[in-house]
Amino acid sequence: MTTLHLDLSKNATRHSIRADLRSRLSADQLQQLDATVAAAGVPEHHHHDIGEVNAAIDALAVSDRVKADMRDIYDILAHAEAAVHGCPVDQTHFHEVGNGEAIRMVCEICLAIEILAPDAITATPVQTGSGTVVCAHGELPIPAPATKAILDQGIPTCTTLGEGELCTPTSAAIIKHFIWR
């Protein structure tokens, strides 16, 4: 049985998760990953709601498994945003998480996990960071409300906190989907 263990104790951003996964791939696997991401067809424009994001995911040239993983990650995000804003899931508005770069990175993480093909994924407690962050909703405490809503679903967090935002809503949704379902 192959277990993929992620150290999220220092940094749990999607950039950190992506870098960790890429470091585990062989040169041939990295080339395969980069070529697949480039050919996937992630649109550059901003996707404002879960319907637009799901339509973009469904149009990607990737496996059904990667599409299902991506849809689930964005569903976790939409539910967290709906809970925070007190609105129906289909009326949530994605800010940073709906841009092309965020969708591309979620796609790349899902593809990397598909290539690595672990039987199980485990992780350390999650480093959330501390302080405040400025985003589309203004200055918010860290973890931001949507991040906290996801983490509060049974994801263990570190007791000693680093400075800055070290876990974002997107990374929390990735962690929830792949590790603490």
Side-chain angles (χ1 to χ4, degrees), residues 64-120:
D64 288 342
R65 175 186 171 185
V66 168
K67 289 178 186 181
D69 287 339
M70 292 179 69
R71 280 192 299 271
D72 190 52
I73 289 165
Y74 274 94
D75 187 61
I76 293 167
L77 279 165
H79 278 85
E81 290 288 344
V84 167
H85 295 290
C87 67
V89 172
D90 62 349
Q91 291 179 13
T92 58
H93 182 82
F94 290 137
H95 296 285
E96 295 88 351
V97 302
N99 67 34
E101 186 269 335
I103 294 170
R104 188 180 309 66
M105 192 163 300
V106 170
C107 180
E108 184 173 354
I109 289 167
C110 293
L111 282 163
I113 290 173
E114 181 179 57
I115 291 168
L116 290 166
D119 296 308

Coordinates of all heavy atoms in Angstrom, one line a residue, residues 64-120:
D64 N -11.8 11.8 -16.1 CA -13.1 12.0 -15.3 C -12.7 12.1 -13.8 O -13.4 12.8 -13.1 CB -14.1 10.9 -15.6 CG -14.7 11.0 -17.0 OD1 -14.7 12.1 -17.6 OD2 -15.2 10.0 -17.5
R65 N -11.7 11.3 -13.4 CA -11.3 11.4 -12.0 C -10.9 12.7 -11.6 O -11.2 13.3 -10.5 CB -10.2 10.3 -11.7 CG -9.7 10.4 -10.3 CD -8.5 9.5 -10.0 NE -8.0 9.9 -8.7 CZ -6.9 9.3 -8.2 NH1 -6.2 8.5 -8.9 NH2 -6.5 9.7 -7.0
V66 N -10.0 13.4 -12.4 CA -9.5 14.7 -12.1 C -10.7 15.7 -12.1 O -10.8 16.5 -11.2 CB -8.4 15.1 -13.1 CG1 -8.1 16.6 -13.0 CG2 -7.2 14.3 -12.8
K67 N -11.6 15.6 -13.0 CA -12.8 16.5 -13.0 C -13.6 16.3 -11.8 O -14.1 17.2 -11.2 CB -13.6 16.2 -14.3 CG -13.0 16.7 -15.6 CD -13.9 16.3 -16.7 CE -13.3 16.7 -18.1 NZ -14.2 16.3 -19.2
A68 N -13.8 15.0 -11.4 CA -14.6 14.8 -10.2 C -13.9 15.3 -8.9 O -14.6 15.9 -8.1 CB -14.8 13.3 -10.0
D69 N -12.6 15.2 -8.8 CA -11.9 15.7 -7.7 C -12.0 17.3 -7.7 O -12.3 17.9 -6.6 CB -10.4 15.4 -7.8 CG -10.1 13.9 -7.4 OD1 -10.9 13.3 -6.8 OD2 -9.0 13.4 -7.8
M70 N -11.9 17.9 -8.8 CA -12.0 19.3 -8.9 C -13.4 19.8 -8.6 O -13.5 20.8 -7.8 CB -11.6 19.8 -10.3 CG -10.1 19.6 -10.7 SD -9.7 20.2 -12.4 CE -9.9 22.0 -12.2
R71 N -14.4 19.2 -9.1 CA -15.7 19.5 -8.8 C -16.0 19.4 -7.3 O -16.6 20.3 -6.7 CB -16.8 18.7 -9.5 CG -17.0 19.2 -11.0 CD -18.2 18.5 -11.6 NE -18.0 17.0 -11.7 CZ -17.5 16.4 -12.7 NH1 -17.0 17.0 -13.7 NH2 -17.4 15.1 -12.7
D72 N -15.5 18.4 -6.6 CA -15.7 18.2 -5.2 C -15.0 19.3 -4.4 O -15.5 19.9 -3.4 CB -15.2 16.8 -4.7 CG -15.6 16.6 -3.3 OD1 -16.8 16.7 -3.0 OD2 -14.8 16.2 -2.5
I73 N -13.8 19.7 -4.8 CA -13.0 20.7 -4.1 C -13.8 22.0 -4.2 O -13.9 22.8 -3.2 CB -11.6 20.8 -4.7 CG1 -10.8 19.6 -4.3 CG2 -10.9 22.2 -4.3 CD1 -9.5 19.4 -5.1
Y74 N -14.3 22.4 -5.4 CA -15.0 23.6 -5.6 C -16.4 23.5 -4.9 O -16.9 24.6 -4.4 CB -15.1 24.0 -7.0 CG -13.9 24.8 -7.4 CD1 -12.8 24.2 -8.0 CD2 -13.9 26.2 -7.2 CE1 -11.7 25.0 -8.3 CE2 -12.8 26.9 -7.5 CZ -11.7 26.3 -8.0 OH -10.5 27.1 -8.3
D75 N -17.0 22.4 -4.7 CA -18.2 22.2 -4.0 C -18.0 22.5 -2.5 O -18.8 23.2 -1.8 CB -18.8 20.8 -4.2 CG -20.2 20.7 -3.5 OD1 -21.1 21.4 -4.0 OD2 -20.3 19.8 -2.6
I76 N -16.8 22.0 -2.0 CA -16.5 22.3 -0.6 C -16.3 23.8 -0.4 O -16.8 24.4 0.6 CB -15.2 21.6 -0.2 CG1 -15.4 20.0 -0.2 CG2 -14.6 22.1 1.1 CD1 -14.1 19.2 -0.1
L77 N -15.6 24.5 -1.4 CA -15.5 25.9 -1.3 C -16.8 26.6 -1.4 O -17.0 27.6 -0.6 CB -14.6 26.4 -2.5 CG -13.1 26.2 -2.4 CD1 -12.4 26.4 -3.7 CD2 -12.6 27.3 -1.4
A78 N -17.7 26.2 -2.3 CA -19.0 26.9 -2.4 C -19.8 26.8 -1.1 O -20.5 27.7 -0.7 CB -19.7 26.3 -3.6
H79 N -19.8 25.6 -0.5 CA -20.5 25.4 0.7 C -20.0 26.3 1.8 O -20.7 26.8 2.6 CB -20.6 23.9 1.1 CG -21.6 23.2 0.4 ND1 -21.5 22.6 -0.9 CD2 -22.9 22.9 0.7 CE1 -22.6 22.0 -1.3 NE2 -23.5 22.2 -0.3
A80 N -18.7 26.4 1.9 CA -18.0 27.2 3.0 C -18.4 28.7 2.7 O -18.8 29.4 3.7 CB -16.5 27.0 3.0
E81 N -18.3 29.1 1.5 CA -18.7 30.5 1.2 C -20.1 30.8 1.5 O -20.5 31.8 2.0 CB -18.3 30.9 -0.3 CG -16.9 30.9 -0.6 CD -16.1 32.1 0.0 OE1 -16.8 33.1 0.4 OE2 -14.9 32.1 0.0
A82 N -21.0 29.8 1.1 CA -22.4 30.0 1.4 C -22.7 30.1 2.9 O -23.5 30.9 3.3 CB -23.2 28.9 0.8
A83 N -22.0 29.3 3.7 CA -22.2 29.3 5.1 C -21.7 30.6 5.7 O -22.4 31.2 6.5 CB -21.4 28.1 5.8
V84 N -20.6 31.1 5.2 CA -20.1 32.4 5.7 C -21.0 33.6 5.4 O -21.2 34.5 6.2 CB -18.6 32.6 5.2 CG1 -18.1 34.0 5.4 CG2 -17.7 31.6 5.9
H85 N -21.5 33.5 4.1 CA -22.3 34.7 3.6 C -23.8 34.5 3.8 O -24.5 35.4 3.5 CB -21.9 34.9 2.2 CG -20.5 35.4 1.9 ND1 -20.1 36.6 2.3 CD2 -19.5 34.7 1.4 CE1 -18.8 36.7 2.0 NE2 -18.4 35.6 1.4
G86 N -24.2 33.4 4.3 CA -25.6 33.2 4.6 C -26.5 33.2 3.3 O -27.5 33.8 3.3
C87 N -26.0 32.5 2.3 CA -26.7 32.5 1.0 C -26.8 31.1 0.5 O -26.0 30.2 1.0 CB -26.1 33.5 0.0 SG -24.5 33.0 -0.6
P88 N -27.6 30.8 -0.5 CA -27.6 29.5 -1.1 C -26.3 29.2 -1.8 O -25.7 30.1 -2.3 CB -28.8 29.5 -2.1 CG -29.6 30.7 -1.6 CD -28.7 31.6 -1.0
V89 N -25.9 27.9 -1.9 CA -24.7 27.5 -2.5 C -24.6 28.0 -3.9 O -23.6 28.5 -4.4 CB -24.5 26.0 -2.5 CG1 -23.3 25.5 -3.3 CG2 -24.3 25.5 -1.0
D90 N -25.7 28.0 -4.7 CA -25.7 28.4 -6.1 C -25.6 29.9 -6.3 O -25.4 30.4 -7.4 CB -26.9 27.8 -6.9 CG -28.2 28.3 -6.4 OD1 -28.3 28.9 -5.3 OD2 -29.2 28.0 -7.1
Q91 N -25.7 30.6 -5.2 CA -25.6 32.1 -5.2 C -24.2 32.6 -4.7 O -24.1 33.8 -4.5 CB -26.7 32.7 -4.5 CG -28.0 32.5 -5.2 CD -29.2 33.2 -4.5 OE1 -29.0 34.0 -3.6 NE2 -30.4 32.9 -4.9
T92 N -23.4 31.7 -4.3 CA -22.1 32.1 -3.8 C -21.3 32.8 -4.9 O -21.4 32.4 -6.1 CB -21.2 31.0 -3.2 OG1 -21.0 30.0 -4.2 CG2 -21.9 30.4 -2.0
H93 N -20.5 33.8 -4.5 CA -19.7 34.5 -5.5 C -18.2 34.2 -5.2 O -17.7 34.5 -4.1 CB -20.0 36.0 -5.4 CG -19.2 36.8 -6.4 ND1 -19.6 36.9 -7.8 CD2 -18.0 37.4 -6.4 CE1 -18.8 37.7 -8.4 NE2 -17.8 38.0 -7.6
F94 N -17.5 33.6 -6.2 CA -16.1 33.3 -6.0 C -15.3 34.6 -6.4 O -15.5 35.1 -7.5 CB -15.7 32.2 -6.9 CG -16.2 30.8 -6.5 CD1 -16.7 29.9 -7.4 CD2 -16.2 30.4 -5.1 CE1 -17.2 28.7 -7.0 CE2 -16.7 29.2 -4.7 CZ -17.1 28.3 -5.7
H95 N -14.4 34.9 -5.6 CA -13.4 36.0 -5.8 C -12.1 35.4 -6.3 O -12.1 34.9 -7.4 CB -13.3 36.9 -4.6 CG -14.5 37.6 -4.2 ND1 -15.0 38.7 -4.9 CD2 -15.4 37.4 -3.2 CE1 -16.2 39.1 -4.4 NE2 -16.4 38.3 -3.4
E96 N -11.1 35.4 -5.5 CA -9.8 34.9 -5.9 C -9.8 33.4 -6.3 O -9.1 33.0 -7.3 CB -8.8 35.0 -4.7 CG -8.5 36.5 -4.4 CD -9.5 37.0 -3.3 OE1 -10.5 36.4 -3.0 OE2 -9.2 38.2 -2.8
V97 N -10.7 32.6 -5.7 CA -10.7 31.2 -6.0 C -11.3 30.8 -7.4 O -11.2 29.7 -7.9 CB -11.4 30.3 -4.9 CG1 -10.7 30.6 -3.6 CG2 -12.8 30.6 -4.8
G98 N -12.0 31.8 -8.0 CA -12.6 31.6 -9.3 C -11.8 32.0 -10.5 O -12.3 31.9 -11.6
N99 N -10.6 32.5 -10.2 CA -9.8 33.0 -11.4 C -9.1 31.8 -12.1 O -9.0 30.7 -11.5 CB -8.8 34.1 -11.0 CG -7.7 33.6 -10.1 OD1 -7.2 32.5 -10.1 ND2 -7.3 34.5 -9.2
G100 N -8.7 32.0 -13.3 CA -8.1 31.0 -14.1 C -6.8 30.4 -13.4 O -6.6 29.2 -13.5
E101 N -6.0 31.2 -12.8 CA -4.8 30.7 -12.1 C -5.2 29.7 -11.0 O -4.5 28.7 -10.8 CB -4.0 31.9 -11.5 CG -2.7 31.5 -11.0 CD -2.7 31.2 -9.5 OE1 -3.6 31.7 -8.8 OE2 -1.8 30.4 -9.0
A102 N -6.2 30.0 -10.2 CA -6.6 29.1 -9.1 C -7.1 27.8 -9.6 O -6.8 26.7 -9.1 CB -7.6 29.8 -8.2
I103 N -8.0 27.9 -10.7 CA -8.5 26.7 -11.3 C -7.4 25.8 -11.9 O -7.4 24.6 -11.7 CB -9.6 27.0 -12.3 CG1 -10.8 27.7 -11.6 CG2 -10.0 25.8 -13.1 CD1 -11.9 28.2 -12.5
R104 N -6.5 26.5 -12.5 CA -5.3 25.8 -13.1 C -4.5 25.0 -12.0 O -4.1 23.9 -12.2 CB -4.4 26.7 -13.9 CG -3.3 26.0 -14.7 CD -2.4 26.9 -15.5 NE -3.0 27.9 -16.4 CZ -3.7 29.0 -16.1 NH1 -4.0 29.3 -15.0 NH2 -4.1 29.9 -17.0
M105 N -4.3 25.7 -10.9 CA -3.5 25.1 -9.8 C -4.2 23.9 -9.2 O -3.6 22.9 -8.9 CB -3.1 26.1 -8.8 CG -2.1 25.5 -7.9 SD -1.2 26.7 -6.9 CE -0.4 27.7 -8.1
V106 N -5.5 24.1 -9.0 CA -6.3 22.9 -8.5 C -6.2 21.8 -9.5 O -6.1 20.6 -9.1 CB -7.8 23.3 -8.2 CG1 -8.7 22.1 -7.9 CG2 -7.9 24.3 -7.1
C107 N -6.3 22.1 -10.8 CA -6.2 21.0 -11.8 C -4.8 20.3 -11.7 O -4.8 19.1 -11.7 CB -6.4 21.7 -13.2 SG -6.3 20.5 -14.6
E108 N -3.8 21.1 -11.6 CA -2.4 20.6 -11.5 C -2.3 19.7 -10.3 O -1.7 18.6 -10.4 CB -1.4 21.7 -11.5 CG 0.0 21.2 -11.5 CD 1.1 22.3 -11.7 OE1 0.7 23.4 -11.9 OE2 2.2 21.9 -11.6
I109 N -2.8 20.1 -9.1 CA -2.7 19.3 -7.9 C -3.4 18.0 -8.1 O -2.9 16.9 -7.7 CB -3.2 20.1 -6.7 CG1 -2.2 21.2 -6.4 CG2 -3.5 19.2 -5.5 CD1 -2.7 22.3 -5.4
C110 N -4.6 18.1 -8.6 CA -5.4 16.8 -8.9 C -4.7 15.9 -9.8 O -4.7 14.7 -9.7 CB -6.8 17.2 -9.3 SG -7.8 18.0 -8.1
L111 N -4.1 16.5 -10.9 CA -3.4 15.6 -11.9 C -2.2 15.0 -11.2 O -1.9 13.8 -11.5 CB -3.0 16.5 -13.1 CG -4.1 16.8 -14.1 CD1 -3.6 18.0 -15.0 CD2 -4.3 15.6 -14.9
A112 N -1.4 15.8 -10.4 CA -0.2 15.2 -9.7 C -0.6 14.1 -8.8 O 0.1 13.0 -8.8 CB 0.5 16.3 -9.0
I113 N -1.7 14.2 -8.1 CA -2.2 13.1 -7.3 C -2.6 11.9 -8.1 O -2.3 10.7 -7.8 CB -3.3 13.6 -6.3 CG1 -2.6 14.5 -5.3 CG2 -4.0 12.4 -5.6 CD1 -3.6 15.2 -4.3
E114 N -3.2 12.2 -9.2 CA -3.6 11.0 -10.1 C -2.3 10.3 -10.6 O -2.3 9.1 -10.7 CB -4.4 11.6 -11.3 CG -4.8 10.5 -12.3 CD -5.6 11.0 -13.4 OE1 -5.2 11.9 -14.2 OE2 -6.8 10.5 -13.6
I115 N -1.3 11.1 -11.0 CA 0.0 10.5 -11.5 C 0.6 9.7 -10.4 O 1.1 8.6 -10.6 CB 0.9 11.6 -12.1 CG1 0.3 12.1 -13.4 CG2 2.3 11.0 -12.3 CD1 1.0 13.4 -13.8
L116 N 0.7 10.3 -9.2 CA 1.3 9.6 -8.0 C 0.6 8.3 -7.6 O 1.1 7.4 -7.1 CB 1.5 10.5 -6.9 CG 2.5 11.6 -7.1 CD1 2.4 12.7 -6.0 CD2 4.0 11.0 -7.1
A117 N -0.7 8.4 -7.8 CA -1.6 7.2 -7.5 C -1.5 6.6 -6.2 O -1.3 5.4 -6.1 CB -1.5 6.2 -8.6
P118 N -1.5 7.4 -5.1 CA -1.4 6.8 -3.8 C -2.6 6.0 -3.4 O -3.7 6.3 -3.8 CB -1.1 8.0 -2.9 CG -1.9 9.1 -3.5 CD -1.7 8.8 -5.0
D119 N -2.4 5.0 -2.5 CA -3.6 4.3 -2.0 C -4.3 5.1 -0.9 O -5.5 4.9 -0.7 CB -3.2 2.9 -1.5 CG -2.6 2.0 -2.5 OD1 -3.3 1.8 -3.6 OD2 -1.5 1.5 -2.4
A120 N -3.5 5.9 -0.2 CA -4.0 6.7 0.8 C -3.2 8.0 0.9 O -2.0 8.0 0.5 CB -3.9 6.0 2.2

